[in-house]
Amino acid sequence: MVTGEEDIRVGIQAMKHGASDYLLKPMQLDVLSLSVERALAVKRMELELESYRQSLEEAIEGRTHQLEAAMRRIEMTYDETLEALGAALDLRDTETAGHSKRVCRYCLEMATAMSRPKDELKHIMRGSYLHDIGKIGIPDAILLKEGKLTSEEMTIMQSHVRIGYDLVSRIAFLAPAAAIVLTHQEKWDGTGYPQGLVGDEIPMGARIFTIADTLDAMTSDRPYRKALTFSVAREEIIRFAGKQFDPEIVNLFCSLPEERWETIRLDLKLPRLGEGLARPSHPSVSPRVIRPVRRGESRAATN
Ligand SMILES: [Fe+2]
């Protein structure tokens, strides 16, 4: 800015509007030349900074893509590891082959409909899939025994929740799912094991799990009976709301279309987490009124 006005306020105004310098008339060539050189130096620095910023942004974007791809690969490896663990258990306990996968899918269905956070969905899926992993530590003579278990054998059998918890809680990416493994045999009214937790004391994932577990146990063939229909299983689950199951989750379970469970049952493939999470949530349906279980009524079948 070159001016005849010798007023500091004019100078300040000019700089505020982007002038790099403020020169007074009459013009002196050497002063002007110096000023222009300074202005050019500043401009060059600005351009360099801008190009550095751009290349930095590109580098960060590239690295972010690489990191995301690596995370996806790790997640896939996690899920493959889980499938291998589950398959190892299925090899020993063939009666329940496919049970873990179906229970996992049923849990995901309910937890998604409950709008649980994505991270929790992941842990619920993993915990429900591995719920019986502790049975790996139960002797064949007990695990595969056809007759009724003695009380000692029952105690050993029940230790599968602790064995499973000890196994899973030591693996960092599975640690948050370990709570479900430990508490998957707890019941809403406190009559479950190993701690006899009551109501909300039982982790949400385990409360969802018990419904999914019963649903699958009842709709699967057993040596002593044929698979029951989903309608029968549903009625049984409703009967034990408030006793074995969290009544609110039973309400939610009943609000979901029955055909959905049959579709899941037919599709045995365990979804990769991304696939499962990407599915749209359900339209809400008004919940049914739940009749609490009466004294003396037998429990719903569980696995
Ligand atoms: Fe179990």
Side-chain angles (χ1 to χ4, degrees):
M1 163 100 186
V2 182
T3 176
E5 197 94 16
E6 195 174 345
D7 183 343
I8 190 73
R9 280 169 305 184
V10 175
I12 291 170
Q13 268 315 103
M15 304 293 263
K16 270 187 184 167
H17 284 91
S20 63
D21 206 351
Y22 175 75
L23 304 178
L24 282 176
K25 287 179 182 172
M27 294 252 286
Q28 292 168 332
L29 210 54
D30 53 341
V31 174
L32 176 67
S33 165
L34 260 175
S35 176
V36 169
E37 268 174 36
R38 269 202 308 274
L40 284 174
V42 169
K43 190 66 193 171
R44 263 195 299 274
M45 212 143 52
E46 278 175 10
L47 289 174
E48 275 170 27
L49 261 175
E50 176 58 20
S51 111
Y52 178 66
R53 189 186 62 78
Q54 271 179 11
S55 60
L56 205 62
E57 270 177 12
E58 281 166 16
I60 289 172
E61 205 179 282
R63 285 302 168 102
T64 305
H65 286 311
Q66 283 175 4
L67 197 65
E68 281 168 357
M71 293 293 281
R72 275 196 298 275
R73 276 199 302 276
I74 290 172
E75 287 282 333
M76 276 182 67
T77 312
Y78 281 171
D79 288 342
E80 282 163 9
T81 309
L82 291 195
E83 283 198 62
L85 274 170
L89 181 63
D90 281 353
L91 279 178
R92 287 196 63 211
D93 193 0
T94 46
E95 189 181 288
T96 57
H99 168 70
S100 305
K101 281 187 181 182
R102 289 189 300 268
V103 168
C104 171
R105 289 284 306 272
Y106 294 152
C107 284
L108 177 65
E109 194 71 9
M110 280 185 265
T112 306
M114 290 164 80
S115 307
R116 305 305 297 176
K118 274 192 178 182
D119 263 0
E120 194 183 340
L121 293 186
K122 204 157 62 178
H123 303 321
I124 290 175
M125 273 184 84
R126 289 173 176 163
S128 57
Y129 186 63
L130 294 176
H131 67 279
D132 267 346
I133 198 70
K135 284 187 178 170
I136 280 177
I138 304 299
D140 279 355
I142 296 174
L143 184 70
L144 307 176
K145 183 174 172 179
E146 290 193 357
K148 207 169 176 280
L149 297 181
T150 65
S151 68
E152 274 164 28
E153 288 169 337
M154 185 59 87
T155 307
I156 295 172
M157 186 64 153
Q158 290 188 348
S159 70
H160 79 278
V161 296
R162 285 256 178 233
I163 297 171
Y165 176 78
D166 290 344
L167 200 72
V168 165
S169 59
R170 269 184 267 154
I171 305 168
F173 85 93
L174 289 177
I180 296 176
V181 177
L182 180 67
T183 57
H184 78 268
Q185 297 283 3
E186 299 286 1
K187 291 183 176 137
W188 181 256
D189 62 2
T191 58
Y193 66 88
Q195 299 168 90
L197 300 178
V198 182
D200 289 347
E201 290 173 1
I202 306 166
M204 172 69 75
R207 280 183 269 147
I208 295 172
F209 167 85
T210 52
I211 295 173
D213 191 40
T214 298
L215 182 68
D216 189 60
M218 294 189 72
T219 53
S220 299
D221 284 335
R222 286 285 183 266
Y224 47 89
R225 61 142 173 83
K226 277 278 171 203
L228 301 165
T229 65
F230 278 86
S231 301
V232 171
R234 188 182 159 112
E235 289 310 313
E236 190 73 352
I237 287 168
I238 291 170
R239 283 205 322 130
F240 289 93
K243 184 90 178 157
Q244 190 168 338
F245 311 119
D246 178 340
E248 274 183 36
I249 305 179
V250 173
N251 267 332
L252 170 110
F253 164 75
C254 291
S255 72
L256 300 174
E258 204 171 289
E259 311 80 64
R260 185 71 202 137
W261 310 113
E262 293 180 44
T263 311
I264 293 173
R265 183 169 179 88
L266 293 172
D267 171 24
L268 276 183
K269 188 172 158 276
L270 182 72
R272 296 269 174 256
L273 195 69
E275 287 176 46
L277 298 182
R279 239 175 338 93
S281 57
H282 300 274
S284 61
V285 186
S286 55
R288 297 179 46 163
V289 177
I290 303 304
R291 180 174 72 81
V293 73
R294 292 198 200 94
R295 256 178 207 289
E297 280 179 334
S298 62
R299 292 261 160 73
T302 58
N303 188 29

